[in-house]
Amino acid sequence: MGPVAAKRIGIINSGGDCAGLNAVIASAVKAGIPMGYEFIGFEKGWEGLLSPMKFRQLDIPSVAGISYLGGTILGTVNKGRFGAKGGVGEKKRIPEEILAEAKANLQSINCEGLIVIGGDGTLTGASQLAELGVNIVGVPKTIDNDLGATDRTFGFSTAVQIVVDALDRIHTTASSHGRVIFVETMGRHAGWIALRAGLAGGANAILLPEFPFRVEDFVDFLHARHSDTGSSVVMVAEGAKIRDQVVGRHNTETEIQLGGAANRLMDDVERLCPGEFEMRGAVLGHIQRGGTPNAADRMLAKAYGVAAINAYDRGEFDRMVCYRHLGMETVPIHEAVATLKRVTPAELEYTTAKQLGVFIH
Ligand code: F6P
């Protein structure tokens, strides 16, 4: 009898890139090949699986030395024919013909299943494809750390560190000039990056999407601080509600593109007390997503890659691997994407910041 043919699995990453993606890909491949699997990687997310398909073989040499690299060797998009999210987090049904095409394309290249690495939009799409009988294991990916089923997503820790490094620099220039500097972070509708980085980086105010505030109260806080110390650093999550609204550009096809919260808040402060504070803004943007993953994220991403192929091998399909209680578990994908994990007043970071006199509502 000849050697048993390897079972072919596809890897897809879709949505925004995230430090640690390459480490997940490499680890799934390195752990899976000795288990009797062969891997292909679809390029540019789901688009690579739809016609005309674009994929490449992922063998051990092709994934060697990539785990410390930011971005993704497969490329990615957060729009396209497989979009399952739009507006402010609304879930959408992918057209049946697109799902059927994806399934047929997989069959045409003898690919028996997928490891899908993505946030709630990507995984919502994955779950719809799994309903057609495609073998899928999901891996959570977002710097926002907002997936309900998992304690941590890779890429988050790196993003937080990047913001803290920025805050360290902002503090010295803010205090030298006696300015109020607003630093805007990513995070969409959850304030995890801003909360954790704001606390670690010593921000004087932390403004999160979860806790609407009155600009008048914020101005009172600035007055009190400036009669005392003369400068402030304000951490503003991009999803913070200024004038009770999320600031961003709506697009009919993709999710709302956030950004501009810090500028809007500066305008409001200026309107309430013209010329009183010298203010500047810094939007950190994609700096938070790019570059090398830190040690914690590499470690987590490697564990996710290995857990994903193990879950696949056990036949745990339509499930997402998740990091809970310091170990790896799996949950049904639909359950994993059902709730957005948002900051609550019970969070240790929140209560700590509050007691330290940080303006956080
Ligand atoms: O969800 C990850 C994230 O980085 C958000 O924090 C941010 O709002 C968004 O993606 C930015 O997306 P894009 O790369 O499309 O601008």
Side-chain angles (χ1 to χ4, degrees):
M1 219 167 55
V4 181
K7 292 170 276 183
R8 185 180 243 200
I9 303 183
I11 297 183
I12 286 189
N13 59 232
S14 188
D17 71 337
C18 185
L21 262 173
N22 285 323
V24 178
I25 296 168
S27 304
V29 170
K30 286 177 182 173
I33 286 177
M35 292 162 76
Y37 292 97
E38 150 191 353
F39 293 87
I40 53 173
F42 289 98
E43 293 174 11
K44 296 241 169 262
W46 295 108
E47 287 300 309
L49 170 57
L50 298 174
S51 305
M53 269 188 287
K54 278 195 89 181
F55 61 87
R56 65 169 96 162
Q57 192 77 24
L58 293 174
D59 52 14
I60 304 266
S62 66
V63 298
I66 65 166
S67 293
Y68 75 98
L69 295 175
T72 162
I73 58 163
L74 296 176
T76 188
V77 287
N78 55 6
K79 56 181 188 215
R81 292 171 282 175
F82 222 88
K85 255 177 95 187
V88 183
E90 292 107 44
K91 305 261 164 48
K92 294 196 291 195
R93 184 81 203 162
I94 295 167
E96 292 309 319
E97 64 275 16
I98 297 289
L99 292 169
E101 181 182 320
K103 182 176 177 183
N105 282 355
L106 281 172
Q107 282 167 343
S108 73
I109 54 169
N110 291 324
C111 188
E112 65 151 55
L114 292 172
I115 290 177
V116 178
I117 314 164
D120 60 343
T122 302
L123 293 174
T124 299
S127 189
Q128 293 175 22
L129 188 57
E131 282 168 22
L132 300 191
V134 175
N135 299 336
I136 293 183
V137 170
V139 177
K141 166 217 64 84
T142 167
I143 65 163
D144 304 338
N145 201 39
D146 60 357
L147 273 170
T150 186
D151 291 348
R152 253 194 296 146
T153 51
F154 65 89
F156 171 65
S157 170
T158 305
V160 167
Q161 188 59 56
I162 290 165
V163 178
V164 171
D165 292 346
L167 288 178
D168 289 349
R169 291 173 187 279
I170 294 283
H171 274 296
T172 60
T173 176
S175 64
S176 299
H177 285 265
R179 286 175 170 161
V180 185
I181 303 194
F182 297 77
V183 182
E184 184 174 311
T185 67
M186 282 188 166
R188 282 203 200 277
H189 311 295
W192 296 106
I193 297 176
L195 174 61
R196 192 168 281 205
L199 177 60
N204 308 111
I206 303 177
L207 308 174
L208 306 178
E210 291 85 348
F211 307 106
F213 61 97
R214 291 177 61 241
V215 180
E216 290 76 6
D217 294 339
F218 175 63
V219 166
D220 288 347
F221 167 80
L222 287 183
H223 277 137
R225 265 193 67 76
H226 283 245
S227 62
D228 191 16
T229 62
S231 73
S232 294
V233 173
V234 182
M235 178 104 288
V236 188
E238 63 178 1
K241 294 198 178 80
I242 316 293
R243 289 178 229 155
D244 287 333
Q245 277 173 7
V246 175
V247 189
R249 270 183 299 190
H250 284 268
N251 177 319
T252 44
E253 269 184 41
T254 57
E255 270 198 281
I256 181 175
Q257 196 180 345
L258 296 175
N263 273 333
R264 192 149 174 181
L265 181 56
M266 279 193 276
D267 288 348
D268 284 355
V269 173
E270 185 59 24
R271 197 175 31 82
L272 282 178
C273 38
E276 256 188 73
F277 299 105
E278 199 183 353
M279 295 180 280
R280 294 289 188 272
V283 179
L284 299 181
H286 292 81
I287 294 170
Q288 294 156 93
R289 270 208 342 227
T292 336
N294 70 9
D297 279 337
R298 280 184 221 184
M299 172 37 230
L300 187 61
K302 288 183 180 194
Y304 270 129
V306 170
I309 188 62
N310 285 342
Y312 191 98
D313 198 56
R314 290 193 301 267
E316 295 189 32
F317 301 131
D318 199 6
R319 296 179 77 84
M320 183 191 87
V321 289
C322 53
Y323 180 73
R324 281 175 170 173
H325 318 300
L326 305 179
M328 288 292 172
E329 300 176 10
T330 66
V331 286
I333 294 181
H334 68 87
E335 213 176 288
V337 296
T339 40
L340 198 66
K341 184 173 67 183
R342 303 187 82 202
V343 176
T344 71
E347 246 61 62
L348 179 63
E349 295 95 328
Y350 181 91
T351 54
T352 306
K354 192 112 187 149
Q355 212 172 334
L356 289 174
V358 174
F359 180 93
I360 181 169
H361 267 222

